[in-house]
Amino acid sequence: MKCFFDEQDLHDILSGSVFLACGGGCSIVGGKKMMDAVLNITDKVEYVPFENVDKGKFMAVHAGMGSSGALKENPPLEFGTLRSFNLLEDTLKKKLFATGRKGEYSLSYVVPVESSALAYFMCMLTGVQKKIPVLDGDGGGRAFPKLSMCTFASVGVPVSPAVLVNELPMDDGGTELIMNQESSDVVDELCRAVLDTPVFNNAASLAGFAMSGETLHRENAVVRNTLTKARDIGRVIRKNPNEAVEAVISLLKAHKLFDGAVVDISEQSKGGFNIGTVVIENGKNKVHVLNQNENIIVWSSEKNYPVAMAPDLICYLGDDGKPVSNTAMEKGQYLTLIGVEAPKEMTTRYIINEFSGLYRSFEYFGPYVPLKDIRQI
Amino acid sequence: MKCFFDEQDLHDILSGSVFLACGGGCSIVGGKKMMDAVLNITDKVEYVPFENVDKGKFMAVHAGMGSSGALKENPPLEFGTLRSFNLLEDTLKKKLFATGRKGEYSLSYVVPVESSALAYFMCMLTGVQKKIPVLDGDGGGRAFPKLSMCTFASVGVPVSPAVLVNELPMDDGGTELIMNQESSDVVDELCRAVLDTPVFNNAASLAGFAMSGETLHRENAVVRNTLTKARDIGRVIRKNPNEAVEAVISLLKAHKLFDGAVVDISEQSKGGFNIGTVVIENGKNKVHVLNQNENIIVWSSEKNYPVAMAPDLICYLGDDGKPVSNTAMEKGQYLTLIGVEAPKEMTTRYIINEFSGLYRSFEYFGPYVPLKDIRQI
């Protein structure tokens, strides 16, 4: 039996995925543009639960690449998403042909790299145009700043061939890059380099991490049921407008970390990355939330250790119950900071190692301590 | 009848091509590494004169991409050159297959993008491994800092698909990029962006501008007989060790612009480019030679207008008669500055327009004035 998200589900997924994106993704503004583009094509979107994935079929992953700010203004839309996915399929098809193997190769599912409005609606845009389902699962159960941090990379799915395209027609600045490079870290670096050129203008569609259903079934290869989880989060927020915080915390078995007013938002460039800091104040207490697109570490003025750290999810809800992204935040705004324990697929040694590299950019030199352990100190 | 360059010819081509590269290319040091790699494979290199090119056959262009300094240390060698060329051939073959057209597609000639040791020996490395001849001709009759300045771009040969690869094996940092983008200017920009990443380290092999022999026969599509010219320049330098300047000037109907000692060498970064200045002094007179890898404009302390400007060739010979590149130059060195009139293919409106863009980076806002007109003022 086929499964579908309807229009209400899409609205709920938009809201829930902005929450799961931990301050990153493309904000609710960019996400809405993408959702509207989906709804312009269809009023229902097919998805496939993990357990219905055919082990003999193939799929590939979509990721939105660029700066949060640019992606909010000019997110990937139906043109770039489909083009990157089709070009990847085409490249793989030719590769198969070149090896002399007979038989057709086609991509049967489209998979979000992370939990974010950006990745989810990219996949929906490709899915509804190509008439293939979106996987109900993704490579993080949260958003993250580098391609190498996804579960697919962690279980050794080759990132390449990876295809990066912009949203312009080929005769007017359209650009397609096919990259062959084993390391997702280096592919990430190559993408960031070209994203800075005017023709990309800091926003692009990536397709890569092609794999079989068999591979998807490897242990820790994917975080399951994340789109339906985003829908459920959006739904409880919608149904509990005055008690959204409590409803979300109860649904996700999450932890309220802090609430207060935003008193400072700043950003500095460091080693090629934008490092942001959001300061939230409540009475005498303050928290500093450090982000690199996504929220990575939270310091409290009351503690000599971080009170939350990625890969655990560090998420904002506004006082209207709506999820908030770092690029859509304003001084004076009242926020609740919520911590959600990372899915087990995101706490493997590989993934923790990737995040530890990030901690260093924030001058935190200690180990990852899971949220549940910090809460027990 | 097949034509070949022998070992002595290669030595002469090295010397002559460094002269024609107008201070750029990869210097005689990088060029020698590449020549040695060629001689390690064979003792003769097949070339094809323009008039023997089969109009029904196909060819593609090689360009070395990166900074002069990095290319001098780590020029493209037999691995990267052949890989970029083969990947381009493969991409074109699959493209043809995808369009349903039958028949084989193969690249029968390899064409240097410019006159430089870098481009010439890249082509030889691919040619001798693939057993196809190098065209005796190139896209400039000189070297130049941007892909969009070659004759192939000027007559509308599509730059893409263009393939950029580094010199590393695929399982140890090897990287292949296939770019689809109509504008050679943008492809140049994309290349420069990724060249800055550690995996490229500012040196790479590019293959692109695939075309037929028919296209090569378009008016102004190529500067002919340039490898044999480089060989002849190298030969007269070798045979006239004490009168190299006079011999080269007589061979090329060139103009001696100045001679003197190098008193200053400086470089500044401006708008993503490295702008270099070499000051040569003789008594009370000085010239400032401004370069962007290649020499672009010469100012004399005696004149209120530039005394030479690209696309005319602005070349150095040392007092030992050897050609000198900007990256191999030393303070105190005695140099003769020689101007050579640009080939007619490099003075089309398109090409002059491209170079005029460069003049602006050097704060010269006037028009291109050909060397022969300047000399008559």
Side-chain angles (χ1 to χ4, degrees), chain B residues 9 13 18 34 48 69-70 73 92 95 118 134 166 170 173 179 218 223 235 242 260 278 296 300 329 347:
Chain B
D9 291 336
I13 286 173
V18 170
M34 300 175 78
V48 57
E73 297 306 322
L92 292 163
K95 212 162 183 172
L118 179 60
V134 179
N166 61 3
M170 284 312 284
M179 293 167 273
R218 281 186 204 162
V223 183
R235 189 181 285 168
N242 300 318
V278 172
I296 305 296
S300 157
M329 184 174 292
T347 57

Side-chain angles (χ1 to χ4, degrees), chain B residues 106 179 196 304:
Chain B
S106 63
M179 293 167 273
D196 268 344
N304 61 347

Side-chain angles (χ1 to χ4, degrees), chain B residues 5-19:
Chain B
F5 293 123
D6 64 19
E7 186 170 343
Q8 182 61 65
D9 291 336
L10 262 56
H11 280 90
D12 290 338
I13 286 173
L14 173 58
S15 166
S17 63
V18 170
F19 180 84

Side-chain angles (χ1 to χ4, degrees), chain A residues 68-377:
Chain A
S68 289
L71 290 165
K72 171 183 160 189
E73 297 305 323
N74 295 301
L77 291 173
E78 63 275 21
F79 182 68
T81 49
L82 183 65
R83 193 153 53 102
S84 65
F85 202 80
N86 278 343
L87 183 53
L88 176 62
E89 184 178 54
D90 201 41
T91 303
L92 292 163
K93 206 175 275 186
K94 287 169 182 168
K95 212 163 183 172
L96 194 74
F97 171 77
T99 63
R101 280 187 282 170
K102 290 281 181 299
E104 267 306 288
Y105 181 94
S106 63
L107 296 171
S108 302
Y109 312 113
V110 52
V111 181
V113 73
E114 64 180 8
S115 304
S116 68
L118 179 61
Y120 286 179
F121 289 108
M122 281 182 73
C123 288
M124 290 190 195
L125 282 165
T126 289
V128 299
Q129 292 181 93
K130 219 174 151 60
K131 303 194 193 313
I132 59 173
V134 179
L135 177 71
D136 182 16
D138 65 58
R142 55 163 293 141
F144 37 80
K146 289 171 69 186
L147 269 186
S148 52
M149 291 174 160
C150 70
T151 55
F152 314 119
S154 80
V155 300
V157 179
V159 60
S160 82
V163 175
L164 190 78
V165 313
N166 61 3
E167 198 62 31
L168 303 170
M170 285 312 283
D171 59 0
D172 190 23
T175 307
E176 303 171 340
L177 289 189
I178 304 168
M179 293 167 272
N180 296 324
Q181 205 327 319
E182 287 198 346
S183 153
S184 53
D185 213 24
V186 175
V187 167
D188 196 272
E189 206 162 55
L190 295 170
C191 288
R192 273 191 293 126
V194 297
L195 281 162
D196 268 344
T197 63
V199 84
F200 276 105
N201 203 11
N202 265 300
S205 296
L206 182 120
F209 290 112
M211 64 188 137
S212 66
E214 183 78 46
T215 300
L216 192 77
H217 278 78
R218 281 187 204 161
E219 195 183 349
N220 297 325
V222 66
V223 183
R224 305 177 193 182
N225 310 321
T226 53
L227 275 82
T228 42
K229 179 188 274 188
R231 180 198 57 195
D232 296 347
I233 295 169
R235 189 181 284 168
V236 302
I237 290 173
R238 175 168 51 86
K239 295 202 167 169
N240 300 276
N242 300 317
E243 292 157 330
V245 170
E246 294 70 20
V248 169
I249 285 178
S250 154
L251 176 72
L252 300 176
K253 297 182 185 61
H255 309 277
K256 180 169 155 182
L257 299 173
F258 198 73
D259 60 358
V262 176
V263 292
D264 195 37
I265 303 170
S266 62
E267 198 173 77
Q268 59 170 134
S269 190
K270 203 174 159 185
F273 284 101
N274 285 329
I275 304 282
T277 306
V278 172
V279 186
I280 309 173
E281 198 175 67
N282 193 337
K284 284 183 187 165
N285 296 351
K286 272 186 191 173
V287 296
H288 282 66
V289 185
L290 313 185
N291 68 68
Q292 184 175 311
N293 286 354
E294 287 74 28
N295 300 326
I296 304 296
I297 290 184
V298 184
W299 286 94
S300 157
S301 54
E302 301 297 294
K303 308 285 184 191
N304 61 347
Y305 51 83
V307 295
M309 45 214 298
D312 291 317
L313 285 68
I314 300 162
C315 312
Y316 296 119
L317 280 182
D319 56 358
D320 55 358
K322 296 248 164 62
V324 177
S325 301
N326 286 312
T327 56
M329 184 175 291
E330 287 175 4
K331 257 194 201 180
Q333 189 170 11
Y334 187 89
L335 292 179
T336 302
L337 190 66
I338 294 173
V340 188
E341 287 167 26
K344 75 167 179 55
E345 296 83 1
M346 289 299 277
T347 58
T348 59
R349 186 190 297 202
Y350 170 93
I351 298 275
I352 296 303
N353 205 34
E354 285 288 314
F355 277 95
S356 296
L358 273 194
Y359 300 162
R360 308 295 169 257
S361 353
F362 296 100
E363 316 288 345
Y364 170 66
F365 302 97
Y368 165 64
V369 182
L371 193 57
K372 62 176 189 299
D373 297 345
I374 298 179
R375 307 286 295 177
Q376 286 166 358
I377 293 175

Side-chain angles (χ1 to χ4, degrees), chain B residues 61 112-114 138-140 144 146-157 159 184 209 220-221 345-346 350-351 354-355:
Chain B
V61 171
V113 73
E114 64 180 8
D138 65 58
F144 37 80
K146 289 172 68 187
L147 270 186
S148 52
M149 292 175 160
C150 70
T151 55
F152 315 119
S154 80
V155 299
V157 179
V159 61
S184 54
F209 290 112
N220 296 325
E345 296 82 1
M346 288 299 276
Y350 170 93
I351 299 275
E354 284 289 314
F355 277 95

